[in-house]
Structure formats: C-alpha cells, structure tokens
C-alpha cells in the first residue's frame, strides 16, 4: 500500500496557459475549461469524478503535468479542502463535483466558506443541456440547481457552449477577486464538455482589487482616531482575507489602541503583542472607549448580538461590503473599503491629528494576563490547548471545530501568525476540521498542520483518512474522544434534567482505525502525553491520528460568565 502512494505534496510546476488573449483554437468544452483555469494560475483541484464530468476529467488528464487532482471519498471534503487551501495561501481553492447529490454533498462546506469569506470556486456538472429543468428524472437531476447553490455562493453561472466557457470562468474569477471574497460556482453540462468548437481566450480576470475608500471619509476618520483619547479597534476575518495585518498593526501602534480580535480575526496581530487582545477583553475595554473602529468584522458580541455602545462613543466601521456595514446597527461613520487599502490610507493620514502617545504596554499586558488567567483556568481544555501551542511552531496551522477544545481555543489559543487559526465561522460545521486541515496542508506542505476534532465531528469525515493516506498528506488529526456529542449531552444533562437522547456514541478503536487506513495512530490521555505524541508526530511529518480519551468537560461559557 505504502509503495503505491503518490508523493502528491509537491505542487506541479505552475505552467500558465500560454494562449494569447484573443487567439482562437478548436477545443472541447473540457479543454476550454482547463485552459481557463490554467490562465488564472490554478494548479490544484480537489475533486470527485462521475459521468457528467468525465469530459472535464479527460481534459485534466491531458493537463496532468500542470494541474494536480486530489480526489476524495465524499464531496464535502473537496470543498472543505479547497477552503483550507485558499485560507492559507493567497490563491483561490478549486473543487470539482458531479451535479445534484455531489453538489448537495459539498454544500455544507460551501456554506462554511461563505460564512468565512473564503475564495472557493466550485466547478459542477449538470445533466444534459436539453434536459435541464425538464424534470424527466435524469441521473443526478435536481430542479433549479443554480438557485440552490446561489444561497451558499456569491455568484453562480452556467455555460452551455464551449465558446462561453472562458468568459463564464473568467467572470467567476473576477467575482472571487473583487469586493467580499466568497465562494462562486460554475456549472457545465456533459454535452458541452465534449462538444468541440472554436474558442477564443479572453484576458484573465485582473488580480485582487483594493478600493481604499472615500478620501474625505478617510480624512474624517483619521481625525477622529488621531484625536481620540481611548481608541479601540475590533478586527475580524476581513483583515486576514485582505492581508491587512501589517497595516492593522501600524495603525494600532500609532494610536496605542488595543485590537480585539474575533475568532476569525485571530492572528491579525500576533498574540505576543500587547495590543492584541482576545474577545474576553471586550468587557474591560469597551466601556472606556471613546472612538471605536471595526474592521472586516460583522461586529457581533460574544453572544452573537450586535455590539452596543453608549451615546457618547463614536463608532466607525470599515468594510469592503456595504451591506455588512449597515446590517447590525448604524455606525456614526462608515468607510466602504478593502481592509488593506483602507487601513493603509488611515495610517498615512492619522499622523496629522495624532499626538505622540506613551506606550500602553504595561496596562494592556496586565489586562491580557488577567484574561489569560481566567481562560487558562478552564481545565482540562486549557491544558490540552496549551500543549498543542507548546509543540507547534509559531507559523504552525491549527484548524478547530465545534468541540470542547475547539471552543476553548477560540478564546484561549495564542495565535502568532495570520491565517494559522482556521474556524468554521458562524456555520460551526462538524466535518470541517479534519478535511479543511488536509487542504491547508496541501497549500502549505512545509508547515505543520493540526486539526482539533471531537469524536462526533471526526465521524463526519473519517473516510478521508483514506485520502490522507493515498495522497500522503501529513496532517496530525487530534480526536478528543468523550464517546459523546459531548456539548449536546452536557446541555441535555444540565438544562433538560438529564434527559439524555441521541448524544452517546459508541466509537471505533481509533488505533485500529488508523492502522486499517495505513496512517500512524497514537493514543494519550494527558496534556504532557499529548506534547510527546505531537512532538513525535510533527517530527515524523506523516499522516497521523492521535486519540485523546477525555471525560466530561466543564461548561466554559459559564466560567466566562457568558451564559
Ligand atoms: C453539521 C453539524 N451538525 C450538527 C451540529 C450540532 N452539534 C454541535 S456540537 C455537536 C457535538 C459535537 O460532538 P464532538 O465532535 O464529539 O465534540 P464534543 O462536544 O464531544 O467535544 C453537535 C452534534 C453541528 N455543529 N454541525
Ligand atoms: Mg465528543
């Protein structure tokens, strides 16, 4: 088995399509699609084949030296992997699925990418073009596939002739690279993939656009911030999507403003910096703030309610999505801008109004320590979480999930680099952790990648242990096993008088499971043991599953005084 593994981790040499703009060539729809992907720099596709997309796989076989195909055991993994790949690289992630059930299987992952603004292109098959919406019951037919997928994408379109394909795909890339990045879908019927026609190649979509915002507004905001006494910044995932971390740190340092990083914004400023503050610092910082700036965040509080401010506090929001700015309460000032360009403009202008501010290091370090003492007191999650941190290098990637250690990590896992802490955002999707980690490792093969899973969530995608083994993807999957949908079970126990239903789990022997799939298995019960197991696993740099049997976990929201 081991001998037949493909050393897939090495990315193929990126051969851009050499076709010049405007040139026409006779080709199939499948070839036109592959050529347009190459033209946009795609060298990796996460896919699962089937008859309607044979024409595309056939063209991918011709282009196999330029584009590698990583195939999975369920379509949800194709989209999660594309998402993980996109989040840790500055590239789009591409997945490829059959229509109907294939796309429906991928939909939870697309919804997750949607909730986290991840640039994923989902290529989908269709039924034969003359049968679409006829309702005959063709293989994999669902009514209104485009309408269905539009609810979890920013843009979805169908091409029905080879000639249309380059334009349709280029528009999809334009959508991925403008405004708020969110998943897009392109679907092509099987007859179109095999049809042959003269196809003209359009110019590729331009690189990412970065609108800097209205200069007058920037000036007004720079004045407000520069003259503020106690400015506070809230930074969300938009900062990471826009690669705006240096601009964020520069502005925060000029203003000596603490930056509250949401769970999706973790890593926007290194947690080693005294200005980087966790979500629980909000309670201490918000009441004292006179001017508040929210950047690339939905601006919700710890209970997912719109943040509220006193009438004397000035609220400013900077977001690339005008709709988002107005959604949860009206700010006093709103800048519609890309986070990187908008923050850079503020950094440039703020000096005219800002005074030399004394360092707030002592005060904010003390606040950080106080919050850390509370968070790190929650055992055993803190012990396990900090064990992971201790063994991972600063740039190591952690993918969390809806599980006890994952919840803790959202508050307490120190994050030192951008795009090294990945969450499922407001979808909270079980099945996300392990598979997204596999995609992240493909994107960053030289970086350690660890996924935090519960036994329940891991069960959603454990078939992908086969993908991990076959493509030799050296992720370390941690499975915290309490033989339960533990969070659900605790709620049933404490809030529903012990009426336990559908939350106890009988699990496989994880060491045997790992062995059966041909990946390395380890088991340990303590944080110290986890450190040793992780150290050995990261050193070996091979596909690994570590089971950590655990007992009932404390309710951390209670400890934090949230619920
Ligand atoms: C796709 C999906 N289905 C259902 C849920 C509801 N849910 C939230 S937490 C949870 C239990 C998770 O169990 P496990 O992964 O073992 O983590 P634990 O709570 O035991 O630490 C469930 C079922 C979800 N978040 N996502
Ligand atoms: Mg569990």
């Amino acid at each position: 088995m081991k001998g037949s593994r493909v050393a897939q981790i090495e990315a193929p040499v990126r051969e851009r399509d050499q076709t010049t703009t405007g040139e026409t060539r006779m080709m199939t729809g499948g070839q036109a699609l592959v050529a347009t992907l190459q033209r946009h720099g795609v060298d990796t596709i996460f896919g699962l084949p089937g008859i309607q997309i044979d024409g595309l796989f056939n063209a991918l076989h011709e282009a196999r030296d330029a584009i590698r195909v990583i195939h999975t055991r369920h379509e949800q993994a194709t989209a999660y992997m594309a998402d993980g790949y996109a989040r840790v690289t500055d590239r789009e992630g591409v997945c490829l699925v059959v229509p109907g059930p294939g796309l429906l299987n991928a939909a939870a992952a697309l919804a997750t990418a949607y909730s986290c603004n991840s640039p994923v292109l989902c290529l989908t098959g269709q039924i034969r073009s003359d049968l679409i919406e006829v309702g005959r019951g063709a293989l994999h037919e669902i009514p209104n596939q485009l309408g269905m997928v539009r609810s979890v994408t920013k843009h979805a379109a169908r091409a029905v002739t080879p000639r249309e394909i380059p334009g349709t795909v280029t528009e999809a890339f334009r959508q991925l690279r403008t405004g708020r990045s969110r998943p897009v879908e392109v679907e092509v019927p099987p007859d179109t993939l095999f049809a042959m026609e003269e196809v003209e190649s359009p110019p590729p979509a331009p690189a990412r656009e970065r609108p800097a915002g209205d200069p007058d507004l920037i000036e007004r905001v720079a004045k407000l911030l520069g003259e503020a006494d106690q400015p506070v910044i809230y930074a969300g995932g938009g900062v990471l999507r826009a690669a705006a971390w240096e601009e964020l740190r520069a502005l925060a340092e000029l203003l000596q403003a603490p930056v509250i990083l949401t769970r999706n914004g973790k890593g926007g400023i290194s947690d080693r910096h005294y200005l980087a503050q966790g979500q629980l610092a909000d309670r201490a910082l918000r009441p004292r703030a006179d001017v508040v700036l929210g950047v690339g965040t939905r601006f919700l509080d710890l209970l997912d309610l719109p943040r509220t401010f006193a009438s004397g506090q000035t609220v400013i929001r900077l977001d690339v999505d005008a709709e988002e700015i107005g959604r949860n309460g009206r700010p006093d000032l709103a800048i519609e801008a890309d986070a990187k360009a908008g923050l850079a403009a503020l950094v440039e202008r703020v000096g005219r109004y800002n005074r030399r501010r004394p360092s707030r290091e002592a005060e904010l370090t003390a606040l950080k320590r106080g919050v850390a003492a509370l968070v790190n007191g929650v055992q055993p999650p803190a012990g396990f979480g900090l064990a992971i941190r201790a063994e991972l290098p600063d740039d190591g990637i952690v993918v969390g999930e809806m599980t006890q250690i994952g919840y803790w990590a959202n508050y307490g896992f120190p994050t030192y680099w951008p795009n090294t802490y990945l969450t499922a955002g407001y979808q909270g999707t079980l099945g996300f952790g392990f598979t997204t980690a596999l995609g992240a490792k493909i994107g960053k093969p030289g970086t350690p990648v660890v996924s935090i899973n519960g036994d329940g969530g891991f069960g959603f995608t454990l078939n992908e242990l086969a993908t991990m083994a076959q493509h030799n993807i050296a992720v370390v999957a941690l499975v915290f096993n309490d033989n339960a949908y533990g969070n659900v079970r605790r709620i049933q126990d404490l809030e529903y008088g012990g009426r336990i239903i559908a939350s106890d789990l009988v699990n496989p022997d994880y060491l045997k499971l790992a062995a059966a799939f041909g990946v390395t298995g380890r088991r340990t019960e303590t944080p110290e043991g986890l450190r040793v197991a992780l150290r050995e696993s990261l050193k070996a740099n091979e596909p690994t599953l570590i089971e950590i049997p655990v007992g009932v976990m404390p309710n951390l929201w209670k400890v934090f005084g949230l619920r």
Side-chain angles (χ1 to χ4, degrees), residues 181-320:
S181 62
R182 283 185 142 168
V184 302
E185 189 247 17
V186 168
E187 58 185 50
V188 187
D191 44 313
T192 312
L193 290 172
F194 279 117
M196 175 80 94
E197 122 184 303
E198 283 280 335
V199 176
E200 185 179 339
S201 56
R208 185 141 195 91
E209 237 175 48
R210 299 203 178 278
D214 178 335
D216 291 341
L217 271 174
I218 292 280
E219 197 71 37
R220 280 170 65 195
V221 169
K223 183 166 189 297
L224 279 167
L225 287 170
E227 291 174 355
D229 188 39
Q230 295 267 341
V232 172
I233 301 174
Y234 291 83
V239 167
L240 300 180
R241 288 290 85 74
W245 42 85
E246 274 165 26
E247 293 77 4
L248 176 66
R249 185 174 45 77
L251 183 66
E253 282 177 348
L254 285 171
L255 298 170
Q256 286 299 299
V259 180
I260 296 171
L261 298 153
T262 70
R263 62 173 183 250
N264 269 350
K266 275 170 82 69
I269 293 190
S270 167
D271 266 321
R272 295 196 195 287
H273 200 304
Y274 61 93
L275 291 174
Q277 297 286 336
Q279 300 170 75
L280 293 173
D282 176 49
R283 289 185 287 215
L285 293 170
R286 193 173 0 160
R288 286 189 275 149
D290 56 348
V291 179
V292 169
L293 171 67
V295 187
T297 167
R298 287 175 299 138
F299 221 35
L300 301 179
D301 69 10
L302 289 165
L303 298 174
D304 280 347
L305 297 170
R307 291 187 196 278
T308 51
F309 295 92
S311 55
Q313 298 178 299
T314 304
V315 177
I316 305 157
R317 289 187 61 182
L318 191 158
D319 204 291
V320 76

Side-chain angles (χ1 to χ4, degrees), residues 458-513:
F458 190 66
F460 280 52
T461 60
L462 60 75
N463 53 337
E464 304 303 342
L465 285 166
T467 304
M468 189 195 209
Q470 182 159 5
H471 299 287
N472 195 21
I473 307 170
V475 159
V476 181
L478 307 180
V479 181
F480 290 91
N481 179 14
D482 60 356
N483 292 303
Y485 291 129
N487 195 46
V488 176
R489 195 181 193 287
R490 189 184 46 233
I491 292 170
Q492 291 172 347
D493 192 22
L494 300 180
E495 293 175 30
Y496 296 95
R499 293 154 74 94
I500 306 296
I501 178 167
S503 58
D504 283 330
L505 299 177
V506 175
N507 285 317
D509 177 327
Y510 289 98
L511 290 184
K512 284 190 182 152
L513 185 78

